[in-house]
Amino acid sequence: SHNIYSSSLQLDKIQKQLEFDTENLKNLKAKLEDSHVSKINELTEQWNSKEADLIAVITEQLQDEELMAERKSSQVSERHLPDLIRMYVLDNKFKEAFEICWAADALPEWEEMKDAIDEGEKVQMFATLIRTIFMDITSLNPDENSTAVVTESDLAQLVALETSVEFLTRTADFLRLIDSAIKPMSDLLESASVSDMQEAIEFFVTAYKFNINNALFGVLEMLKIMQRNEQERKDHVIDAFKSIYLTTDSTTMREHTTIIVERLINLLKIVPYRNYQDLTLIIAEWVSKSILDNSIIDQLWQYFTKKA
């Protein structure tokens, strides 16, 4: 490949990948939203079937003076609390569920509220507390055969797709900006200022190496400069074509030669007829300065004489 940066910034390909990832992200978000809603609905239905019996037990427990006087440590981490509460509630072990929440160190953020309300409000407070914990699915482990719960893999994929879509969106915007600069930069090739012309040449060389769409248009436009009398301008074009067509990152001479020959043959196929003489001048300079290796000349000769 002529791209020594191992990158491809073709707008059409970036846009296609962006559309693909955006659609996948949309579908994944819909799946996760459906999974979340599905699980919440399932838990809500289960809770509604247990709530009346749970409230009855809470009322009974709050009237137990001995229990009220005893404040044991819960010994349950906050991370595992939702799973344990769900297990107790679904197994009708309402007393155990209440005792965990009554423990002094179970949920310290509720402690102040618990001591600030009257006895009549405590029943509703504990029912609300237990329901809040029961409905917490952030740490819920999915069943082996269930798709109702968001998995770590789903979340990892979500993050990856969001990152990709953000990157591709910015890249596509950048490439549209580059694409809009192709025509103005090609006009600079005819600038009276040599430095402006050189800047335009460097722009197209870099754009071509990154496979940017329409960069070839600017590269071919450089050929017209060979018709001018200023040698300095011609030298910049000759060096640019050398960078594009004669430079590879190959590790063997055979591969290096083959890549260059293929590039030059492809170039000959697309160069407008009116610019053939311009390209000839560039190649003549390469030959006179021994820039073009004999191995390349030999392969080209074999190709055009049909001996390859």
Side-chain angles (χ1 to χ4, degrees), residues 27-94:
N27 293 337
L28 179 59
K29 282 184 174 180
K31 170 192 170 184
L32 297 184
E33 183 176 348
D34 289 345
S35 298
H36 181 84
V37 171
S38 174
K39 190 59 185 178
I40 290 297
N41 288 340
E42 178 187 344
L43 290 175
T44 299
E45 185 177 340
Q46 291 172 337
W47 173 264
N48 290 339
S49 69
K50 305 289 185 179
E51 185 177 23
D53 292 336
L54 174 65
I55 289 177
V57 171
I58 292 174
T59 302
E60 179 183 336
Q61 292 298 304
L62 286 173
Q63 294 172 354
D64 187 334
E65 295 182 1
E66 183 178 340
L67 176 64
M68 294 300 99
E70 187 178 6
R71 304 290 295 279
K72 295 180 179 179
S73 174
S74 70
Q75 302 297 320
V76 178
S77 69
E78 190 170 343
R79 176 185 175 187
H80 297 106
L81 193 56
D83 290 332
L84 190 58
I85 289 293
R86 274 190 291 272
M87 182 186 73
Y88 282 152
V89 171
L90 295 177
D91 288 346
N92 297 322
K93 295 181 178 180
F94 305 127

Side-chain angles (χ1 to χ4, degrees), residues 25-228:
L25 178 60
K26 176 183 175 182
N27 293 337
L28 179 59
K29 282 184 174 180
K31 170 192 170 184
L32 297 184
E33 183 176 348
D34 289 345
S35 298
H36 181 84
V37 171
S38 174
K39 190 59 185 178
I40 290 297
N41 288 340
E42 178 187 344
L43 290 175
T44 299
E45 185 177 340
Q46 291 172 337
W47 173 264
N48 290 339
S49 69
K50 305 289 185 179
E51 185 177 23
D53 292 336
L54 174 65
I55 289 177
V57 171
I58 292 174
T59 302
E60 179 183 336
Q61 292 298 304
L62 286 173
Q63 294 172 354
D64 187 334
E65 295 182 1
E66 183 178 340
L67 176 64
M68 294 300 99
E70 187 178 6
R71 304 290 295 279
K72 295 180 179 179
S73 174
S74 70
Q75 302 297 320
V76 178
S77 69
E78 190 170 343
R79 176 185 175 187
H80 297 106
L81 193 56
D83 290 332
L84 190 58
I85 289 293
R86 274 190 291 272
M87 182 186 73
Y88 282 152
V89 171
L90 295 177
D91 288 346
N92 297 322
K93 295 181 178 180
F94 305 127
K95 179 181 177 181
E96 287 83 350
F98 171 78
E99 287 178 347
I100 289 178
C101 294
W102 173 253
D105 60 348
L107 291 161
E109 63 270 24
W110 289 76
E111 189 70 17
E112 184 176 346
M113 185 186 302
K114 180 168 61 177
D115 295 335
I117 59 178
D118 59 38
E119 296 301 319
E121 295 174 317
K122 283 185 179 179
V123 173
Q124 188 57 47
M125 189 207 79
F126 276 105
T128 301
L129 171 58
I130 295 173
R131 184 184 189 281
T132 299
I133 300 171
F134 182 89
M135 299 297 293
D136 182 1
I137 63 173
T138 55
S139 63
L140 190 62
N141 294 321
D143 295 332
E144 186 175 341
N145 299 318
S146 173
T147 59
V149 181
V150 177
T151 66
E152 289 187 11
S153 176
D154 289 329
L155 295 177
Q157 186 181 6
L158 178 66
V159 171
L161 283 172
E162 287 178 334
T163 301
S164 176
V165 167
E166 181 181 1
F167 168 77
L168 291 172
T169 298
R170 292 181 178 180
T171 302
D173 290 343
F174 170 74
L175 291 178
R176 290 189 192 95
L177 184 63
I178 294 294
D179 190 65
S180 68
I182 295 292
K183 184 60 172 67
M185 293 303 287
S186 68
D187 292 340
L188 274 182
L189 292 171
E190 299 293 332
S191 172
S193 167
V194 174
S195 61
D196 286 347
M197 180 211 69
Q198 184 179 2
E199 183 178 337
I201 288 176
E202 291 174 354
F203 169 83
F204 284 116
V205 169
T206 301
Y208 187 82
K209 288 182 177 180
F210 276 99
N211 285 324
I212 289 177
N213 294 94
N214 299 320
L216 181 61
F217 168 79
V219 172
L220 295 178
E221 284 291 293
M222 293 182 205
L223 288 170
K224 293 189 297 185
I225 299 175
M226 297 302 296
Q227 300 170 14
R228 303 183 65 149

Side-chain angles (χ1 to χ4, degrees), residues 3-21:
N3 184 359
I4 62 174
Y5 302 100
S6 299
S7 300
S8 180
L9 294 178
Q10 291 177 288
L11 179 58
D12 52 350
K13 291 183 178 180
I14 294 292
Q15 187 62 43
K16 185 176 181 180
Q17 185 64 46
L18 174 59
E19 292 171 359
F20 180 78
D21 284 1

